[in-house]
Structures are given as C-alpha cells and as structure tokens.
Amino acid sequence: MNLFKIIFSFFIISTNLYGFSQTNNLNDFSYLKSSGDIPKEFIKLAADKYKEDLESNDNKELDKDFFLSTRFFIDDLLLSGNVLFNEDLSNYVNKVAKYILRKDKKLFSSLQFYVLKSNSVNAFSTDQGIIFVTTGLLAQLENEAQLGYILAHEIAHYTEEHVKEGYVERQNIVKGKGKYSRLSDEDRVGELSVYSKDNELEADEVGIKIFLDSEYDIETVFTSFEVLLYSYLPFEDIQFDTTFFNTDILYIPGELFSDTIRQISKNENFDDHLSSHPNIKKRMDGAFEVLGDSESKGNLKFKFPKEEFYKVRDLARFESVNIHLSNRKYVHAIYDVFLLKRKFEDNKFLNISLMKALYGLSKYDPPSIEYLFFSTPIGFVDHSLTLPAIFIMP
C-alpha cells in the first residue's frame, strides 16, 4: 500500500478520534472571498473603458494597441475571481494607502487598491491607477511600515507614468527608432533592461519621498528590500519536524526523511545585466543616496493596531495553503500547514488541508518521501508574478 495512503488513512482515524477543538478564530477558515458592493471597475465593459482612454489620450506616442491591450488584460485579471475587495485584506491595504496619502487626498481618490490571491511575492501598478498587492507579499511582511513603503513605491510608478512611458520606449527600442537605430538586437535587449531598471530606481526615489511624509520608521525601507531579497523562501524558514505526522497510532521513522539542509542564498549584488529590476544592493545604495541626512518624522512600525496587521498576515498565510492545493503543489501546502500549526495547533482548516495534500500526493504518484521533505525546504514561494511588462510596473 502506498505510504501516503497509509498516512492519509491513519490521519483520518486520528482526527475522528480526537475531533476538532475551537481553539482560534481561524478555525472555520475556508478561503478568502470578496464582500459588499462590486466596484464599478469590475462592472464596466472593457470596450467602454478602452474608448474613453483613447478619446482622452493626449499622448500621440501611445497608439490604440496600448489602450486596447491594457484594458482587456486588466479586466481579465479583475474578473478572474482572484481579486479581493471589501474584505479584511484589501480594507487594510486601503487603510494604509490612505494614511500614506493623507496629505494628497486627490491622488488617493484617483487610485484603487486590491489584493490578488497569488503566492507570488509581488505588488504592481497599472497605468489606470490600479495597484495590486498579492497575498504572497502580505504573508511575508514583518510589519505595517514595510507595506507602507511598498505601496509608496507602486504609487510612484503611477505618478511618474512609468507604464505609459515604458511602453513608448520599448516600442522605440524594439523597432530601432531614434537613438536605437544603430544597435544590434542583443544591444536592444540590454537597453530594455537598463530603461526598466532606471524606472525602478526612480520609483524608489519618489516612493521614499512619499514615505518620508509618514510617521513610519525610515529603516523599514531597507528591511522591505530584505523581504524582496528572501522572497523565494517560505514565509518562515524552520526545519521540518520529522515527527509531524506521528500520532498514538501512527509512527514514521525519522530515517525516512532526508537530513540534507539547503543553504539559504543571499546575493544582494547579483548580476542584473539583463534583469528588469536593479539588484538589491543598487536599490539600497540608491535609497541611502536619496535619504542623505533626512530624518524620519517617526519611528513607527505600526500606525494602526498591530493585531490587525497580524490578522491580515495570518489570513494571507492560510490562503497560501489553498493556492498550493489548487496548483497541486502538495509538498508546499504540507510545509505551510506545518508552519501554521505551530501557532494554530488544532485548526480544522489546517487538518483538512493536510489530508487533502496527502491524498493529492498519493493520487498523483509522488516521488519518494526522501525527496519530498528536506530539512529546510527552500524556494516554495514563487519569486515573481509573470505578467506582460507593458501593462504593469512591479
């Protein structure tokens, strides 16, 4: 009999014997879902939005393909069922954004903030003023101030019109217009990455200036970069407990698990020659240069009750299990359950999710258990969200 089928069978027995106790307010968690009135952005036809954008456009370098493509692409995302609104996570993101822009209410009213259900650690801005934050990012953050800086960075992409300008520049580079006419194909690719990195550094600069108007601790700018540097890791990095599956009626010998530990990689000065983003060292150096002798107006890690932040982060982490299960990333789901059960030991959702993951492994002919459970699983969270570059600025 398959080992995972044995585990699954005994786990059902053990949960039936001991039951599920109501030990925390996330015990009845199922999945994150929107609530309340549907925002107008979701209801209005993409064709109508496209026509309005095209008619109001005063930039002759932006062709109709730009507006046609961006509007329909963003609408596909909005209507995917993965965008959250009027619930705890998006309400919290909006609250922090409103605080960041409390001195520029007009700018805040022109923006929309949503949470996207994705385990990618990311945030991105569109030319329409829609800013998305992923659940994967919220699951990784250490405090509210880090979210504040990341939102300021994305707001800067919008105010500096990086998406629109980037589209025009990319068209010129690809088509070899103007100063790019004498470049080889390889050199044009290099120019694309250089231009994109320049935009990122500018968004850092403008974002820091927005952030300085808050009472948040300026040091969190640099810890935000650290979050991005380690975004390929799970939301916690803890050695897997080889007794995790054991109960009074089930025992799995520890020697069945590998004792290999994958070393954490930290390369803040990686080669970013063909990358769309500057490496972390360049971003940190740029931040130091922008800040100069500037003094932060405060030292807050949290403007709002920290319990609200931790609730949002826990919800995002719980949703990560659902996302892994839906993507058949069963080992990732098991590891996330293992991490969460350290705090929510007898949680009904986590127990059921663990059974689903174990069943999934048995159903889809898994590799050996030695391969599946390394002492320190690394890289379980996707590093970046793959979206067409002409539509967004991450």
Side-chain angles (χ1 to χ4, degrees), residues 48-65:
D48 293 336
K49 298 174 187 176
Y50 157 70
K51 291 178 182 177
E52 291 179 1
D53 288 344
L54 194 59
E55 291 172 358
S56 61
N57 175 45
D58 56 2
N59 186 342
K60 296 181 179 179
E61 293 185 285
L62 289 175
D63 55 32
K64 65 179 181 180
D65 287 341

Side-chain angles (χ1 to χ4, degrees), residues 78-89:
L78 290 174
L79 302 178
S80 67
N82 292 320
V83 177
L84 298 169
F85 54 84
N86 297 331
E87 41 61 63
D88 290 337
L89 279 70

Side-chain angles (χ1 to χ4, degrees), residues 127-140:
D127 73 291
Q128 299 97 338
I130 303 174
I131 293 175
F132 295 93
V133 176
T134 66
T135 51
L137 176 62
L138 294 174
Q140 293 268 3

Side-chain angles (χ1 to χ4, degrees), residues 48 59-61 95-96 166 223 225-226 245 276 286 299 360 393:
D48 293 336
N59 186 342
K60 296 181 179 179
E61 293 185 285
K95 183 188 293 188
V96 175
T223 61
F225 291 142
E226 291 284 333
F245 298 110
S276 62
N299 59 356
M393 286 303 300

Side-chain angles (χ1 to χ4, degrees), residues 9 83 111 187 194 222 298 301 310 365:
S9 300
V83 177
L111 298 169
D187 288 337
V194 168
F222 302 102
K301 296 290 194 302
Y310 291 124
D365 191 24

